[in-house]
Amino acid sequence: MNLPAKKNDQNIYAKFAGKLNWQDAIAGLSIAGLLLPQALAYSGIGNLPAQAGIIGLFAGLLCYGLLGSSRFALVSPTSSSAVVLAATTMTMAEDNASLRLMLASGLVIMTGILFLLAAVTRMGNVTDFIAKPVLRGFTFGLAIVIIIKQSTAVLNISIQKENLFIFVLDVFRQFRSWNYNCLLTTAVALIFLALMEWLRRIKKGQFRNIPSGTLVIIFGILASKLLDLPAYGVPNVGSIDMNLNNPVIPELTYPEWTQLLEIGVALVFILYAESYGSIRSFAMKHHDTISPNRDLFALGISNLVSGIFQGMPVGAGYSATAANEAYGARTRLAGIFALIITLIIILTVLPYIEWIPIPVLAAIVISTMATTLTLSSFRLYFSWKIDRLLIVASVLAVLLLGVLQGLMIAIAINLLMMLRQNSKSTISVLGRLGQSHDFISLSVFPEAQPVSGILILRPDQSMFFANADRILLQARETVSSSPLPIHTVILSLEQTTDLDATSVEALRDFFADMQKEGKKLILARLKNPVHEILQFTLGNQFPEVSLSRLSVERAVRLAHIKENPNKNVYSLYK
């Protein structure tokens, strides 16, 4: 999928050139009703003013709409990045509100810079090293954390604890301070959102284009004004200062920038994993081409612009991208239309937005997160009995250790299990199947027969620093324990695509051992990089070792020729 999206763009815009694409305009109108409430809600999760979410929304829609490769992806504030932002600023700034804003701006800027560096170094597929079970487990655990932490808005209480279980204990310790009017407001909003979702399902999409988030906000504003909800202790969003400040780089100390760099790496992983998952899913569904490195650049510019204007971190969230496709978007113009419509809303009805009850925004967040709390995505892993530990570990890591530490621990477990799997040192002895040219494992296919005087070995894993010594130790033991006389050893390295220094050293020692024992050695099925490395590093030192890109069958013929030099060499190629 790492193909340039230029051709795809030309096809799309050629198709819709010369006329206004009303489908994109309708999609933009509908999606604006989803993105604006989410931006306001996620700014609350990030402990930032409401305008931070709106600035992030503007930056993401504009920059990705101009620079991105996916025609469905919408870049805006996300719940996961908001949680990371809140955890970071709470830990580093504590109760210093001005420092919290500077740290938030610095983290978003650092995230944008890291995205740009990743684009320049063409690291578009780096998140492929994070297994899907890890991401799904992380998302599941993160949704639980976000929903639980909305209790501060639902009950109108204040808790600053990062640990989830201490947080829950504090919620119940403050039960005398619970505001049941806020709880009732949230419940009514959740019932309305659930009813709209139910209608969409039973009416098979007839209510698809009705932005339920916008409707619940409108009803919330009406209730706040007509019923005077603030008089009952139900807080509103309050004043939103949309005066766009001049671009500024926050004045932070070197240790603070260093800490933000460390956290920015984790935030880049989170945002790009979520973004690329959304982008790739819908590109595959519609047979579009995308460019991961171009998307890295677009995400970098989006976060950089958002950061210098004190906005939130942004990424291509799955829910917004899925809604954009469902509303009928055809090109990236849908995001530009959504930006224009959101700007019109801000310029015309901003005073009404300030009347949105905070419990209503909490209900929107809870409703959005609840859609990710499904066990169906885990069912296959448990039925296959594969990677169950990764899923459970990812969920528990987020719940027990927090978002940042949880993600790092989950990734570490993923990488350790990958290393453990790849470091297995098994080696197969091959034999010929009948009179064919096929050489297969003697332990798996007993009907295969060994070749007289030749021992054919094949490592079952790619050789690298963690398993090279053990694989070649097993090869030595197999050679020494062979009950039949051997004049040639063939080592088939078909599984190995590249070699590191440790593997080359291990092969050097193996070559020397075979040389001492007077056995000829042939390496077969070498990939080009492996052949070039061995030719350069060991070719002059061990000229008698044959380095072959050819098949095991050709290596066997070569072994016979080496043993019987008078044999016609051209028979090797028959």
Side-chain angles (χ1 to χ4, degrees):
M1 298 296 290
N2 193 11
L3 297 174
K6 184 176 180 181
K7 183 178 180 181
N8 187 57
D9 290 345
Q10 292 173 346
N11 292 338
I12 292 170
Y13 290 117
K15 184 177 179 180
F16 297 101
K19 62 177 181 179
L20 180 63
N21 183 7
W22 288 106
Q23 287 179 300
D24 282 334
I26 293 171
L29 175 63
S30 302
I31 205 69
L34 171 69
L35 294 178
L36 181 57
Q38 283 188 346
L40 294 171
Y42 294 158
S43 61
I45 293 176
N47 287 331
L48 292 177
Q51 61 264 25
I54 297 175
I55 291 171
L57 176 60
F58 286 165
L61 290 177
L62 177 63
C63 295
Y64 191 85
L66 296 175
L67 302 172
S69 69
S70 169
R71 58 191 176 114
F72 297 110
L74 293 175
V75 172
S76 61
T78 68
S79 57
S80 55
S81 62
V83 174
V84 173
L85 187 71
T88 302
T89 55
M90 186 182 299
T91 302
M92 295 178 64
E94 296 180 350
D95 295 328
N96 190 330
S98 60
L99 178 58
R100 183 185 300 122
L101 291 175
M102 286 196 296
L103 288 170
S105 176
L107 179 57
V108 181
I109 290 172
M110 184 61 71
T111 301
I113 293 172
L114 290 172
F115 267 123
L116 292 177
L117 288 175
V120 170
T121 54
R122 305 189 67 80
M123 298 290 286
N125 295 322
V126 69
T127 52
D128 290 345
F129 286 96
I130 307 178
K132 286 185 179 180
V134 170
L135 288 177
R136 285 176 175 149
F138 171 77
T139 303
F140 190 87
L142 181 65
I144 294 175
V145 170
I146 292 172
I147 289 174
I148 292 176
K149 291 204 169 183
Q150 288 305 299
S151 58
T152 55
V154 172
L155 302 172
N156 196 24
I157 55 179
S158 178
I159 300 175
Q160 301 297 325
K161 299 293 189 301
E162 177 64 20
N163 183 279
L164 184 65
F165 295 95
I166 297 176
F167 180 93
V168 172
L169 287 175
D170 275 4
V171 169
F172 286 100
R173 286 194 190 107
Q174 298 187 33
F175 74 94
R176 290 188 177 88
S177 302
W178 290 2
N179 187 319
Y180 292 97
N181 293 319
C182 287
L183 180 60
L184 179 61
T185 303
T186 307
V188 172
L190 284 172
I191 291 171
F192 176 83
L193 291 170
L195 178 62
M196 291 298 298
E197 182 62 28
W198 177 73
L199 287 174
R200 285 195 186 97
R201 290 179 181 177
I202 65 170
K203 295 298 183 179
K204 300 186 183 300
Q206 291 183 23
F207 292 83
R208 183 184 66 182
N209 293 330
I210 298 178
S212 55
T214 302
L215 287 181
V216 77
I217 281 182
I218 292 173
F219 292 146
I221 293 172
L222 292 175
S224 186
K225 293 182 71 70
L226 297 178
L227 302 177
D228 195 13
L229 293 182
Y232 296 93
V234 180
N236 294 333
V237 169
S239 177
I240 301 177
D241 182 12
M242 285 306 299
N243 293 325
L244 192 62
N245 298 321
N246 293 324
V248 62
I249 303 297
E251 297 181 2
L252 299 171
T253 64
Y254 178 77
E256 288 171 337
W257 279 113
T258 302
Q259 193 170 352
L260 291 180
L261 172 62
E262 296 171 357
I263 299 167
V265 172
L267 191 54
V268 165
F269 267 101
I270 293 171
L271 284 171
Y272 189 62
E274 183 177 14
S275 300
Y276 190 50
S278 305
I279 292 168
R280 183 172 58 179
S281 297
F282 288 96
M284 293 175 65
K285 180 178 178 180
H286 293 272
H287 308 289
D288 293 341
T289 56
I290 58 172
S291 174
N293 293 303
R294 174 174 165 180
D295 288 325
L296 278 173
F297 181 80
L299 289 170
I301 295 296
S302 299
N303 280 280
L304 196 59
V305 171
S306 179
I308 63 177
F309 287 104
Q310 294 82 54
M312 294 185 65
V314 293
Y318 188 86
S319 60
T321 302
N324 191 35
E325 188 239 13
Y327 289 145
R330 290 294 178 268
T331 73
R332 290 195 305 278
L333 287 175
I336 302 298
F337 278 120
L339 169 66
I340 295 171
I341 293 163
T342 303
L343 182 60
I344 292 172
I345 293 172
I346 295 297
L347 293 176
T348 56
V349 296
L350 183 61
Y352 295 98
I353 293 176
E354 296 172 357
W355 279 87
I356 300 173
I358 288 179
V360 170
L361 294 179
I364 293 173
V365 173
I366 293 171
S367 177
T368 302
M369 292 298 101
T371 59
T372 66
L373 287 179
T374 171
L375 296 175
S376 59
S377 59
F378 301 150
R379 188 176 298 121
L380 283 178
Y381 299 111
F382 282 87
S383 62
W384 293 340
K385 298 182 180 180
I386 299 175
D387 287 340
R388 292 169 297 177
L389 176 61
L390 276 181
I391 293 173
V392 174
S394 301
V395 174
L396 290 179
V398 174
L399 297 180
L400 296 175
L401 302 175
V403 178
L404 280 175
Q405 295 85 348
L407 178 64
M408 293 297 102
I409 292 296
I411 293 175
I413 293 173
N414 179 193
L415 294 177
L416 285 173
M417 293 186 70
M418 181 184 70
L419 287 173
R420 177 178 174 270
Q421 178 66 28
N422 289 334
S423 64
K424 289 180 179 178
S425 52
T426 58
I427 195 163
S428 297
V429 179
L430 305 185
R432 187 192 298 272
L433 183 62
Q435 298 301 314
S436 70
H437 294 173
D438 297 328
F439 287 83
I440 54 181
S441 173
L442 293 174
S443 61
V444 178
F445 298 93
E447 63 270 26
Q449 296 297 319
V451 180
S452 177
I454 302 174
L455 182 64
I456 308 170
L457 303 175
R458 183 192 63 201
D460 293 326
Q461 293 83 28
S462 176
M463 285 179 56
F464 71 114
F465 64 88
N467 64 10
D469 285 321
R470 282 182 292 176
I471 285 175
L472 294 175
L473 176 61
Q474 289 184 33
R476 291 186 187 92
E477 293 173 348
T478 306
V479 171
S480 61
S481 62
S482 175
L484 301 174
I486 297 171
H487 58 76
T488 303
V489 175
I490 296 176
L491 189 63
S492 176
L493 295 183
E494 60 199 74
Q495 303 286 352
T496 303
T497 58
D498 205 349
L499 288 175
D500 52 48
T502 303
S503 302
V504 173
E505 287 186 28
L507 284 168
R508 180 195 62 189
D509 296 340
F510 183 71
F511 289 2
D513 289 345
M514 295 299 101
Q515 188 180 59
K516 289 177 184 178
E517 295 182 17
K519 292 181 171 55
K520 298 178 179 63
L521 182 61
I522 301 173
L523 270 63
R525 301 197 65 179
L526 297 180
K527 301 293 191 294
N528 283 336
V530 176
H531 185 274
E532 292 173 4
I533 290 172
L534 291 177
Q535 191 70 51
F536 176 74
T537 56
L538 302 179
N540 293 332
Q541 187 177 356
F542 299 95
E544 72 281 359
V545 175
S546 298
L547 306 176
S548 173
R549 299 185 183 92
L550 302 178
S551 65
V552 173
E553 165 66 19
R554 297 295 180 89
V556 169
R557 294 188 186 185
L558 180 60
H560 286 311
I561 292 173
K562 282 178 171 286
E563 185 64 17
N564 303 283
N566 295 326
K567 189 174 182 179
N568 184 1
V569 71
Y570 294 105
S571 64
L572 173 65
Y573 301 101
K574 289 182 180 179

